[in-house]
């Protein structure tokens, strides 16, 4: 019994493998047979790929099909070998468009990596959305690896990176292995050889599609190691194509595909080599490590939405919108109840026993929330060749019409009956609408329906949003920003609810903030709110400072004295204000009075100033019995400060210098100041009479060399 089971299992596996081989040859191998090479100059060629009908296998819905396309490809030992082919592909796509947040009706975008700033290049990683947000070109990358990296450039002009060009930071042999098509930087995924490119309207999160995509590769040694796969907005595989190889280091290869039959690309999967960057390239043992250079692709435009009316013929589908046709086992029962988003229903059951021809249409809810999608059918066909519309989530299994069921119209659509069904489609999910025959006569020529409720598609009548003008406003008092209110955008057409982010009345930080207004993902506009910092910092200087030169010699009249002071701090509504004082603390201040000016500057170049004085004296007497009683004076000008029992008196007297003896005399109607210093013996005395005849202070200083000289 065990031998029989094992033998039966092996036979079953063999049968499945044989069937898979047959299907794969039909779906993929046949595609290769329909490619016609058109010779071009040099080692390059342009090919025309003919379309294949979609296939149905194992009773399961298989949406894969191959679209008609032009393929331009070339390879060689240097840039010149592929230049003509690259330029031809550029011409296929049209004019190079600027890197702005908009979608042009035609033309192309390019990424050559060379404008990536050093802080987003090796050894750091490139953000996956850099070419949608930082430099808006509508391309967002994804990978199963750990991120993406752009190689370093060299120091011409000079910069801070260590010049490990062409990914030498990952492997020191790579600069001699790889070459740049457009100098200097290259691109690669990290820890994966798979990079996926998904397209958006540049600078937005609105899904987009393109008509063509091409890429430059370096060091493709082995045929089949590197390829491009193209997918449409429904995830259907459109084409797989390998990149031409040239054995040897620093070779360049290019592959570009543009679709000519209305098919559009939503996503490209790039396989670059058969091993990840980091190891050694060794084609002899089957290891082919490949890096990438320029990406060239058609202008990203909004993902295709269904037309206002789709008309089809059972078994043939529609010329208005992509569809697939086949035969299903049995048909759904009709219970007379139409499905609605408010009142969904379960599958009413299958009437078995016959096969029925159907057409299937896929629609995608690209939004991040559930959408209520409605399919409306007017009267059509005859009574005996009616159709029955049914909606499914994700996929449709012709062998099991209740699998993945979402809803249906509870009756037939014919010459006397119309109807509609509404179903809830989860975020980022596919809804498949199946229209199958139910009548006694085969076929229904000319049924029609409309689709509404897809969030990324405008309702009938369209929608246009016009945002208010850019706003510039000063920051609020003592705040690094301001609450800003703005008028709502002007809407025309059927727009529905409009939301703006950040909302009117929000707090906007200093600088420019982009406000994005959307109408259910069907239309959008942007404007900027710029908050300017016009408030100067608050700055308070220290009080005036008084100091004296050393009194340790007869000639102790130094030309300057080093003075240290505390730099004032600035208070500002935004952090980051800096303070600079002139002369700075630690400078050597000349004898006399010097004004120190301090200036605070914030990040917006608002300034505030304050000042204080530094007074430097060269003669100092300090009373031995009361050190707080101090006299300091300038032996050149006669300016003095007399601190007497807590009171400070200033004035200008007469100085007499005889050798090392210095005297000061100042007589007025309200005071009499006398002082004598002998720097030969380092002694002195002073007195203050205020008023004259009444002694206020007497100073006796037996050693002037140990004075603190503090007289504020």
């Amino acid at each position: 019994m065990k031998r029989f089971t094992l033998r039966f299992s092996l036979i079953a596996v063999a049968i499945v493998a044989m069937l898979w081989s047959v299907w794969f040859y039909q779906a993929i191998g046949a595609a290769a047979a329909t490619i016609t090479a058109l010779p071009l100059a040099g080692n390059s060629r342009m090919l025309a790929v003919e379309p294949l009908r979609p296939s149905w296998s194992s009773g399961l819905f298989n949406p894969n099909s191959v679209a008609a396309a032009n393929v331009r490809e070339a390879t060689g030992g240097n840039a010149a070998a592929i230049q003509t082919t690259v330029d031809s592909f550029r011409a296929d796509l049209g004019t190079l468009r600027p890197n702005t947040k908009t979608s042009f009706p035609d033309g192309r975008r390019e990424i050559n990596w060379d404008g990536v700033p050093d802080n987003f290049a090796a050894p750091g990683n490139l953000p996956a959305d850099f070419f949608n947000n930082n430099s808006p070109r509508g391309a967002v990358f994804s990978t199963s690896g750990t991120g993406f990296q752009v190689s370093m450039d060299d120091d011409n002009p000079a910069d801070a990176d260590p010049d490990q060009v062409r990914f030498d930071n990952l492997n020191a042999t790579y600069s001699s292995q790889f070459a740049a098509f457009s100098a200097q930087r290259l691109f690669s995924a990290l820890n994966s050889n798979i990079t996926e490119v998904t397209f958006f309207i540049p600078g937005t999160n609105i899904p987009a599609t393109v008509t063509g995509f091409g890429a430059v590769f370096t060091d493709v040694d082995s045929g089949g190691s590197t390829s491009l796969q193209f997918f449409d907005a429904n995830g259907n595989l459109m084409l797989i194509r390998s990149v031409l190889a040239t054995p040897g280091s620093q070779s360049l290869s290019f592959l570009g595909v543009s679709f000519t039959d209305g098919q559009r690309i939503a996503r490209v999967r790039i396989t670059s080599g058969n091993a990840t960057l980091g190891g050694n390239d060794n084609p002899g043992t089957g290891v082919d490590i490949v890096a990438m250079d320029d990406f060239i692709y058609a202008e990203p435009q909004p993902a295709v939405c269904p037309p206002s009316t789709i008309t089809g013929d059972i078994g043939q589908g529609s010329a208005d919108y992509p569809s697939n046709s086949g035969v299903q086992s049995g048909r759904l029962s009709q219970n007379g109840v139409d499905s609605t988003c408010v009142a969904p229903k379960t599958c009413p059951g299958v009437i078995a026993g016959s096969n029925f021809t159907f057409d299937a249409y896929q629609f995608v809810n690209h939004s991040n929330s559930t959408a209520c999608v409605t399919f409306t059918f007017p009267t059509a066909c005859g009574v005996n060749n009616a159709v029955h519309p049914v909606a499914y989530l994700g996929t449709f299994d012709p062998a099991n019409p209740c699998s993945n069921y979402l809803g249906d119209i509870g009756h037939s659509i014919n010459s006397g009956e119309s109807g509609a069904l509404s179903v809830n489609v989860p975020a980022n999910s596919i809804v498949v609408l199946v229209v199958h025959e139910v009548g006694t006569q085969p076929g229904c020529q000319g049924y029609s329906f409309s689709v509404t409720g897809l969030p990324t598609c405008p309702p009938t009548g369209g929608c246009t949003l016009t945002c208010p003008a850019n706003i510039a406003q000063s920051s609020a008092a003592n705040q690094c920003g301001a609450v800003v209110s703005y008028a709502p955008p002007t809407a025309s057409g059927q727009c529905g609810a409009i939301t703006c982010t950040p909302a009117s009345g929000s707090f906007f930080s200093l600088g420019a903030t982009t406000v994005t207004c959307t109408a259910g993902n069907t239309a959008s506009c942007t404007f900027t709110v710029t908050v300017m910092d016009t408030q100067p910092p608050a700055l308070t200087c220290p009080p005036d400072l008084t100091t004296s030169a050393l009194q340790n010699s007869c000639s102790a009249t130094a030309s300057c004295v080093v003075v240290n002071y505390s730099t004032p701090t600035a208070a500002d509504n935004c952090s980051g204000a800096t303070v600079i004082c002139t002369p700075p603390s630690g400078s050597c201040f000349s004898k006399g009075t010097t004004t120190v000016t301090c200036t605070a500057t914030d990040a917006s170049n608002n300034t505030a100033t304050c000042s204080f004085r530094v007074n430097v004296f060269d003669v100092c007497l300090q009373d031995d019995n009361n050190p707080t009683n101090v006299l300091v004076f300038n032996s050149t000008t006669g300016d003095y400060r007399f601190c007497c029992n807590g009171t400070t008196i200033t004035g200008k007297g007469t100085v007499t210098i005889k050798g090392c003896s210095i005297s000061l005399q100042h007589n007025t109607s309200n005071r009499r100041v006398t002082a004598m210093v002998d720097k030969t013996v380092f002694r002195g005395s002073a007195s203050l009479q205020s008023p004259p005849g009444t002694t206020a202070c007497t100073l006796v200083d037996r050693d002037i060399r140990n004075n603190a000289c503090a007289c504020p």
Side-chain angles (χ1 to χ4, degrees):
M1 181 66 180
K2 292 182 179 179
R3 286 196 301 270
F4 174 78
T5 302
L6 176 60
R7 183 175 301 169
F8 180 83
S9 300
L10 292 174
I11 294 172
V13 169
I15 293 173
V16 170
M18 179 181 68
L19 291 175
W20 170 254
S21 299
V22 171
W23 178 86
F24 184 83
Y25 173 79
Q26 290 175 340
I28 303 299
T34 61
I35 298 176
T36 304
L38 306 178
L40 300 174
N43 190 18
S44 64
R45 55 186 175 177
M46 190 272 283
L47 303 99
V49 183
E50 297 297 328
L52 295 181
R53 291 290 296 171
S55 60
W56 298 83
S57 68
S58 305
L60 298 176
F61 178 66
N62 177 8
N64 295 351
S65 61
V66 180
N70 286 334
V71 178
R72 293 194 182 272
E73 53 188 0
T75 187
N78 52 42
I82 67 171
Q83 185 69 62
T84 300
T85 301
V86 172
D87 290 342
S88 296
F89 184 71
R90 286 168 168 159
D92 291 343
L93 302 184
T95 303
L96 179 64
R97 296 300 185 180
N99 303 323
T100 55
K101 293 182 178 181
T102 187
S103 180
F104 296 92
D106 52 24
R108 72 180 195 276
R109 304 271 179 144
E110 295 193 11
I111 300 173
N112 62 19
W113 319 110
D114 304 315
V116 172
D118 284 350
N119 60 311
F120 287 136
N125 287 4
L126 180 77
D129 60 355
F130 181 90
F131 287 102
N132 193 42
N133 289 336
N134 302 65
S135 180
R137 308 184 201 186
V140 175
F141 310 133
S142 59
T143 181
S144 59
T146 56
F148 304 94
Q149 196 168 96
V150 173
S151 64
M152 300 180 193
D153 61 359
D154 66 21
D155 276 342
N156 185 18
D159 55 32
D161 67 51
D163 298 339
Q164 294 174 307
V165 297
R166 297 190 293 282
F167 294 121
D168 264 0
N169 59 299
L170 301 177
N171 186 311
T173 67
Y174 285 173
S175 61
S176 59
Q177 174 184 334
F178 298 145
F181 176 70
S182 58
Q184 305 167 2
R185 300 189 190 273
L186 299 173
F187 171 75
S188 178
L190 296 176
N191 297 308
S192 175
N193 63 336
I194 302 295
T195 298
E196 292 204 344
V197 185
T198 303
F199 300 101
F200 294 86
I201 302 302
T204 77
N205 60 356
I206 300 174
T209 57
V210 300
T211 58
F213 178 91
V216 174
F217 302 85
T218 179
D219 197 43
V220 180
D221 296 307
S222 306
S225 74
T226 301
S227 66
L228 297 181
Q229 298 179 53
F230 301 88
F231 298 86
D232 67 15
N234 292 326
N236 299 329
L237 178 63
M238 302 163 67
L239 181 69
I240 303 175
R241 183 73 183 166
S242 293
V243 176
L244 298 178
T246 293
S249 297
Q250 297 196 325
S251 65
L252 290 167
S253 301
F254 174 76
L255 173 61
V257 176
S258 57
F259 292 90
T260 58
D261 63 347
Q263 296 279 356
R264 299 185 63 85
I265 309 162
R267 176 170 54 93
V268 178
R269 180 178 297 154
I270 305 171
T271 303
S272 53
N274 56 23
T276 63
L277 264 66
N280 291 325
D281 185 55
N282 192 345
T285 62
V287 178
D288 191 8
I289 297 177
V290 175
M292 294 172 275
D293 204 343
D294 298 37
F295 285 2
I296 304 169
Y297 50 94
E299 176 67 16
Q301 295 172 338
V304 175
C305 292
S308 57
T309 301
I310 298 174
T311 300
D313 298 329
I314 284 292
Q316 301 181 44
S318 174
D320 305 323
Y321 190 79
S323 60
N324 294 285
S325 301
V327 175
Q328 67 184 57
S329 300
R331 66 173 180 85
L332 284 194
S333 200
Q334 297 176 355
N335 62 4
V337 178
D338 298 341
S339 295
T340 66
C341 294
V342 176
K345 68 179 189 179
T346 59
C347 182
V350 177
I351 299 175
S354 300
N355 293 329
F356 296 88
T357 302
F358 69 87
D359 299 332
Y361 302 84
Q362 286 191 5
F363 305 94
V364 183
N365 172 15
H366 286 291
S367 74
N368 294 322
S369 59
T370 298
C372 178
V373 179
T374 300
F375 301 97
T376 303
F377 284 75
T379 56
C381 310
V383 174
N384 294 325
N385 58 2
V387 294
H388 187 194
V390 188
Y392 296 88
L393 179 61
T395 59
F396 168 58
D397 182 355
N400 184 3
C402 269
S403 177
N404 298 329
Y405 170 89
L406 274 181
D408 72 297
I409 295 177
H411 57 84
S412 297
I413 299 297
N414 54 41
S415 58
E417 294 183 277
S418 60
L421 71 121
S422 298
V423 292
N424 292 309
V425 182
N428 299 300
S429 298
I430 295 172
V431 56
V432 180
L433 177 69
V434 172
V435 182
H436 66 76
E437 60 186 2
V438 296
T440 58
Q441 300 178 12
C444 173
Q445 308 303 308
Y447 66 85
S448 64
F449 64 95
S450 61
V451 186
T452 56
L454 291 171
T456 55
C457 295
T460 304
C463 171
T464 301
L465 291 183
T466 302
C467 275
N470 295 337
I471 297 173
Q473 181 172 318
S474 295
S475 58
N478 301 319
Q479 296 187 54
C480 195
V483 174
V484 179
S485 298
Y486 53 81
T490 302
S492 61
Q494 300 181 21
C495 294
I498 299 172
T499 58
C500 294
T501 306
S504 178
S506 299
F507 182 85
F508 287 77
S509 299
L510 196 69
T513 301
T514 299
V515 178
T516 301
C517 299
T518 60
N521 288 333
T522 66
S524 65
C525 64
T526 61
F527 65 99
T528 59
V529 172
T530 302
V531 178
M532 303 170 293
D533 179 13
T534 58
Q535 178 177 330
L539 184 65
T540 303
C541 277
D544 293 347
L545 300 178
T546 298
T547 188
S548 299
L550 295 175
Q551 308 293 305
N552 56 4
S553 69
C554 178
S555 60
T557 56
S559 61
C560 64
V561 176
V562 174
V563 178
N564 293 296
Y565 57 83
S566 297
T567 301
T569 56
D572 194 33
N573 59 322
C574 296
S575 61
T578 59
V579 179
I580 297 176
C581 294
T582 305
S585 178
S587 298
C588 201
F589 285 74
S590 300
K591 182 173 62 176
T593 300
T594 302
T595 298
V596 178
T597 301
C598 298
T599 301
T601 305
D602 65 17
S604 299
N605 289 321
N606 299 307
T607 61
T609 61
C610 67
S611 63
F612 63 97
R613 291 176 297 184
V614 174
N615 301 302
V616 177
F617 298 94
D618 60 334
V619 180
C620 173
L621 294 172
Q622 179 176 296
D623 186 47
D624 291 340
N625 293 324
N626 187 354
T628 62
N629 290 342
V630 175
L631 170 65
V632 291
F633 65 89
N634 187 322
S635 64
T636 300
T637 65
D639 291 311
Y640 67 85
R641 294 175 68 86
F642 206 133
C643 291
C644 173
N645 297 325
T647 301
T648 301
I649 298 173
T650 62
K652 189 180 184 77
T654 301
V655 176
T656 302
I657 301 176
K658 294 180 179 180
C660 290
S661 297
I662 306 171
S663 64
L664 173 70
Q665 189 77 31
H666 187 212
N667 296 322
T668 67
S669 61
N670 63 352
R671 80 180 70 159
R672 180 175 295 168
V673 177
T674 59
M676 173 62 72
V677 177
D678 186 346
K679 289 194 174 184
T680 303
V681 294
F682 307 109
R683 293 182 178 182
S685 62
S687 69
L688 168 63
Q689 295 179 10
S690 180
T694 301
T695 300
C697 283
T698 299
L699 278 64
V700 177
D701 192 347
R702 296 179 181 83
D703 189 349
I704 64 174
R705 291 172 296 181
N706 61 4
N707 293 344
C709 300
C711 185

